[in-house]
């Protein structure tokens, strides 16, 4: 592991690390924010952020304004890249497929299957990497972790929490793609990564996963009412699915807000408080 950036921030430290990933077969970068409490030796929960299409680890750590709230609540923040990258990694000219568009699934179709294994990376490898990195710095964790994200990353946060019960103790999303099987973004990517069998797609579709969820982890979603991609997001479908089975769900429709990080930063404090309450509760 190689540290490529470190900056003082709200009494803590924002870092960027790079490591060789066994899941993707490529170097992967991740942002790591260590709050003051962690630097003082307190055991802190870990909160993972998954970014959206075209993003890297940089978008969140420079635009979301999350560090001040992580410092306040004593949360370690981890923000990985959105896909494998490199000259030898498959890609596509469009922004919504290939590098920058991992969609947090394990691809099964050529040429994507070798490198595009983002579910394996986020759920299994990344916690191991983070544990080793923190141990190297003498930083302790509480053993509890949460996950949240934006757009494609919101899809990732919700589906990974639902697909891996017990792995996360809190979940939330900003403008998530909640029914990728039913919208162009998801249909394009799922066809490429998972193949033509649409029954395989439903295993990575939040609306489809809700009825059979093995735990009812409360979901918080914020959505800009003036989001230019609202037709691809359709939060009302998730609301209806949760109401049908009694899954705890809060949807905040935010008038005037779009899909940008201006929207995310405006409500980041509420999401961080949501995670802090769950992650600091008795295990």
């Amino acid at each position: 592991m190689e540290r490529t950036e470190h900056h003082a921030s709200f009494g803590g430290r924002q870092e960027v690390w790079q490591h060789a990933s066994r899941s993707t077969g490529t170097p992967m970068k991740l942002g790591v924010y260590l709050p003051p409490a962690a630097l003082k030796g307190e055991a802190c929960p870990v909160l993972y952020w998954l970014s959206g299409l075209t993003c890297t680890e940089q978008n969140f750590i420079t635009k979301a304004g999350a560090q001040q709230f992580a410092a306040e609540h004593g949360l370690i923040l981890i923000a990985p890249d959105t896909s494998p990258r490199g000259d030898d990694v498959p890609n596509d000219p469009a922004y919504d497929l290939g590098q920058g568009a991992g969609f947090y699934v394990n691809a099964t179709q050529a040429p994507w299957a070798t490198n595009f294994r983002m579910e394996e990376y986020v759920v299994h490898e990344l916690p191991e990497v983070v544990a080793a990195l923190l141990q190297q710095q003498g930083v302790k964790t509480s053993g509890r972790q949460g996950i949240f994200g934006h757009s494609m990353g919101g899809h990732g946060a919700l589906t990974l929490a639902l697909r891996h019960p017990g792995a996360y103790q809190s979940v939330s999303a900003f403008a998530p793609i909640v029914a990728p099987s039913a919208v162009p973004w998801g249909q394009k990517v799922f066809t490429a990564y998972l193949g033509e069998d649409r029954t395989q797609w439903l295993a990575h579709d939040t609306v489809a996963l809700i009825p059979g969820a093995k735990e009812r982890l409360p979901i918080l979603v914020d959505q800009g009412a003036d989001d230019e991609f609202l037709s691809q997001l359709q939060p009302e479908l998730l609301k209806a699915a949760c109401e049908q089975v009694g899954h705890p769900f809060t949807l905040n429709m935010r008038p005037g807000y779009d899909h940008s990080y201006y929207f995310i930063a405006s409500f980041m404090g509420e999401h961080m408080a949501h995670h802090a309450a769950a992650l600091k509760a008795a295990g």
Side-chain angles (χ1 to χ4, degrees):
M1 290 183 286
E2 175 191 4
R3 190 172 71 176
T4 61
E5 291 184 41
H6 60 101
H7 313 279
S9 179
F10 292 95
R13 190 164 67 237
Q14 178 66 60
E15 304 177 339
V16 176
W17 290 78
Q18 179 171 293
H19 71 102
S21 169
R22 68 169 187 268
S23 302
T24 68
T26 66
M28 292 293 289
K29 287 185 176 181
L30 60 146
V32 178
Y33 179 72
L34 303 176
L39 298 181
K40 293 174 184 176
E42 296 180 28
C44 296
V46 178
L47 180 57
Y48 293 89
W49 169 268
L50 304 183
S51 290
L53 288 165
T54 75
C55 291
T56 70
E57 79 289 340
Q58 289 293 325
N59 298 72
F60 176 74
I61 67 176
T62 59
K63 295 181 178 181
Q67 292 91 343
Q68 61 181 315
F69 303 111
E72 175 187 342
H73 294 295
L75 300 176
I76 296 168
L77 275 177
I78 307 296
D81 200 351
T82 51
S83 79
R85 299 178 191 271
D87 293 341
D88 298 327
V89 176
N91 201 11
D92 187 272
Y95 76 96
D96 54 356
L97 182 65
Q99 296 185 37
F103 259 80
Y104 306 102
V105 301
N106 293 335
T108 59
Q109 306 298 303
W112 313 102
T114 299
N115 305 111
F116 282 72
R117 298 181 50 78
M118 289 301 293
E119 179 172 14
E120 173 67 23
Y121 178 72
V122 171
V123 176
H124 299 295
E125 182 177 5
L126 188 57
E128 296 174 9
V129 169
V130 169
L133 184 157
L134 297 180
Q135 184 178 32
Q136 174 182 316
Q137 300 191 75
V139 174
K140 303 174 186 175
T141 70
S142 67
R144 294 173 68 78
Q145 57 185 21
I147 191 166
F148 67 150
H150 170 233
S151 194
M152 175 185 73
H155 144 79
L158 296 175
T159 57
L160 296 184
L162 290 165
R163 284 172 55 79
H164 300 276
Y168 306 99
Q169 285 71 58
S170 63
V171 63
S172 74
F174 292 87
I177 306 168
V178 303
S181 299
V183 299
W185 270 343
Q187 291 168 346
K188 177 180 179 178
V189 165
F190 283 179
T191 300
Y193 293 165
L194 303 175
E196 298 284 352
D197 183 357
R198 294 194 172 214
T199 62
Q200 300 297 316
W201 301 2
L202 297 179
H204 304 278
D205 185 301
T206 301
V207 169
L209 288 168
I210 285 292
K214 294 184 178 179
E215 64 177 355
R216 297 297 178 194
L217 203 60
I219 295 173
L220 169 64
V221 168
D222 269 76
Q223 173 64 60
D226 290 357
D227 192 319
E228 61 271 37
F229 301 113
L230 203 52
S231 64
Q232 299 250 38
L233 306 173
Q234 301 187 24
E236 68 278 1
L237 297 180
L238 181 54
K239 181 180 180 181
C242 289
E243 288 177 348
Q244 188 168 8
V245 296
H247 195 114
F249 178 70
T250 300
L251 172 62
N252 297 317
M253 294 296 297
R254 303 296 189 176
Y257 286 89
D258 57 17
H259 199 69
S260 70
Y261 266 83
Y262 296 107
F263 156 63
I264 295 169
S266 297
F267 304 103
M268 179 56 65
E270 295 177 27
H271 281 249
M272 298 293 282
H274 164 81
H275 288 279
L279 294 174
K280 294 195 169 185

